[in-house]
Amino acid sequence: MRMKKFAALAMATMMAASMAACGGSKPAETTAAPATTAAPAETKAEETKAEETTAAAEAKAEETTAATEAAAPAGGKIGVCIYKFDDAFMTTYRNALQEILEGKGYEVTFMDGKNDQAEQNNQINNFIAQGVDALIINPVMTSAADAIIATVKDADIPTVLINREPTADQMSAYDKLCYVGCDAAQSGTMQGELILDTPNKGDINGDGKVSYIMIQGDPENIDAKLRTEYSVKALTDAGVQVEELDLQRGDWDRNKGQEIAQNDLAKFGNDIEVVFCNNDDMAIGALQAIDAAGRKVNEDIYLVGVDALDAALNEVAAGKMTGTVLNDAKGQAAGAVEAMEGLLGGKTYAAGEQSIYVDYVKVTPENVKDFQ
């Protein structure tokens, strides 16, 4: 009996050993095998996906960078020389230039020439020594144009001249230079037309001629010369006889305009029918003298200026100036910057094509609100 139990036990032990030897645990291994086999494929897919994500991110970054670069301003250092800061019109012009240039990201420095050409020459040389990329220059004296042009040409600095125009021959010396401004002859013509548009064409006393005084800016300035000439020429071209009672230099200054008009009103009295002023600041000074003399603009005397300064526009609207002529400071500033950027981009100008003009506009009581 004990032998049978032993034999049975031995048989059971042998069967267990046999099952282990034949791989009784194999099903578990078979289940795990597919996972091991699939791992390389999953890794490959994940790597591919990661690469695609990275590529997309890089493409997006490049696209953003390109857009940013396209939107970014060119920048650069710009030197601006103004003949004098306390000129009313050039203050408006200077502010417009500053807003546009700084808005585009340029590093800009403005210098006050203080109406001294020697001072401005030093400022131009200092800008060149500082390595500016371009210059915008409002010359103190147009007679200094040759020297200014020679200086910027020697330094190979792209330059835009503003407000005071040299001759075409002078500018032709340098192909990286241009002038942006208005045709002063046009402004003078429009002043004359403002007088021709009055009911009596300026002949208030009916004696068959228009008697006027002329308050001129700086007679060396081409704008002053042409406004003086063409304002009267508009009358004579229309067949109107004229009489010049006085022509005085007012240097664009309000106080001088007031003084000249005061002296002339005392000297010529009611014989003065028209007061021509080369700019609005002098016209406003003249208006002070007219008021003090008991005269009334548009009733017994006419008064015209140029620039369309805010103060002048208010006087036109109030009927105390016959009219003015818009000298578009903002339009000229925009044109100057555009021309400067063209030069910085490699543009050059052929002789005779270096002047870029912005039109003047007549301002009357009828349309003055459009400009206020």
Side-chain angles (χ1 to χ4, degrees):
M1 187 69 175
R2 291 184 60 166
M3 287 293 295
K4 285 183 180 180
K5 287 183 178 180
F6 179 80
L9 180 59
M11 182 62 72
T13 300
M14 290 173 63
M15 289 178 64
S18 177
M19 289 179 64
C22 292
S25 62
K26 194 69 174 178
E29 293 176 2
T30 302
T31 303
T36 302
T37 303
E42 291 177 1
T43 301
K44 181 73 173 176
E46 289 173 359
E47 289 176 353
T48 301
K49 184 176 181 180
E51 289 173 359
E52 291 175 350
T53 301
T54 301
E58 289 176 351
K60 182 66 175 177
E62 289 176 2
E63 183 180 319
T64 302
T65 300
T68 301
E69 289 176 351
K77 295 171 64 176
I78 310 300
V80 182
C81 295
I82 302 298
Y83 96 98
K84 68 173 184 175
F85 277 5
D86 61 0
D87 179 286
F89 173 73
M90 288 313 301
T91 296
T92 302
Y93 199 140
R94 173 163 50 93
N95 291 339
L97 270 177
Q98 184 170 6
E99 181 179 354
I100 296 169
L101 287 167
E102 291 183 351
K104 287 175 168 285
Y106 290 101
E107 179 185 338
V108 57
T109 303
F110 289 82
M111 296 301 296
D112 181 1
K114 301 175 183 177
N115 206 26
D116 182 336
Q117 189 59 60
E119 175 76 13
Q120 187 176 76
N121 291 344
N122 289 333
Q123 293 167 355
I124 293 170
N125 287 325
N126 287 338
F127 274 138
I128 291 171
Q130 292 164 15
V132 295
D133 297 293
L135 286 167
I136 297 175
I137 302 174
N138 165 216
V140 172
M141 300 167 61
T142 51
S143 60
D146 287 324
I148 291 172
I149 293 168
T151 298
V152 298
K153 180 182 179 181
D154 287 345
D156 195 32
I157 301 291
T159 301
V160 179
L161 301 178
I162 60 172
N163 188 246
R164 296 179 172 186
E165 184 178 11
T167 67
D169 285 344
Q170 288 173 314
M171 289 192 289
S172 67
Y174 185 35
D175 63 0
K176 294 182 183 179
L177 174 138
C178 67
Y179 168 79
V180 175
C182 295
D183 179 0
Q186 183 187 45
S187 64
T189 298
M190 288 183 174
Q191 282 190 303
E193 289 172 351
L194 287 169
I195 300 304
L196 291 173
D197 289 341
T198 61
N200 46 32
K201 297 185 178 181
D203 184 13
I204 292 174
N205 60 22
D207 65 353
K209 64 179 183 291
V210 173
S211 300
Y212 70 91
I213 65 170
M214 179 72 67
I215 304 179
Q216 193 176 36
D218 174 0
E220 187 180 291
N221 185 304
I222 189 64
D223 284 9
K225 291 179 180 178
L226 293 177
R227 288 173 187 172
T228 297
E229 176 185 353
Y230 279 83
S231 57
V232 177
K233 187 175 185 294
L235 298 182
T236 57
D237 284 353
V240 175
Q241 290 189 346
V242 299
E243 177 187 21
E244 181 184 284
L245 298 175
D246 194 21
L247 186 157
Q248 291 284 329
R249 171 178 179 159
D251 287 325
W252 314 109
D253 184 77
R254 182 177 301 191
N255 291 332
K256 289 185 178 180
Q258 190 274 338
E259 181 182 349
I260 292 167
Q262 177 180 294
N263 292 338
D264 282 350
L265 285 165
K267 182 177 181 180
F268 300 106
N270 292 339
D271 288 343
I272 301 174
E273 296 170 293
V274 175
V275 179
F276 285 110
C277 296
N278 282 173
N279 78 339
D280 280 344
D281 227 25
M282 294 188 299
I284 292 169
L287 176 59
Q288 294 169 349
I290 290 169
D291 285 343
R295 303 286 295 273
K296 292 188 179 299
V297 173
N298 294 331
E299 291 185 21
D300 59 26
I301 194 168
Y302 295 119
L303 172 65
V304 291
V306 177
D307 286 339
L309 298 178
D310 288 344
L313 293 176
N314 291 338
E315 300 297 357
V316 173
K320 301 189 71 174
M321 276 183 65
T322 306
T324 185
V325 181
L326 173 66
N327 192 5
D328 188 358
K330 293 182 180 179
Q332 290 177 69
V337 174
E338 182 179 354
M340 180 203 74
E341 291 186 319
L343 290 168
L344 286 172
K347 182 174 182 176
T348 57
Y349 286 88
E353 298 178 359
Q354 291 170 281
S355 291
I356 302 166
Y357 293 123
V358 177
D359 280 337
Y360 285 101
V361 181
K362 282 189 288 186
V363 181
T364 66
E366 289 72 32
N367 70 356
V368 66
K369 290 184 179 178
D370 296 337
F371 304 95
Q372 288 180 305

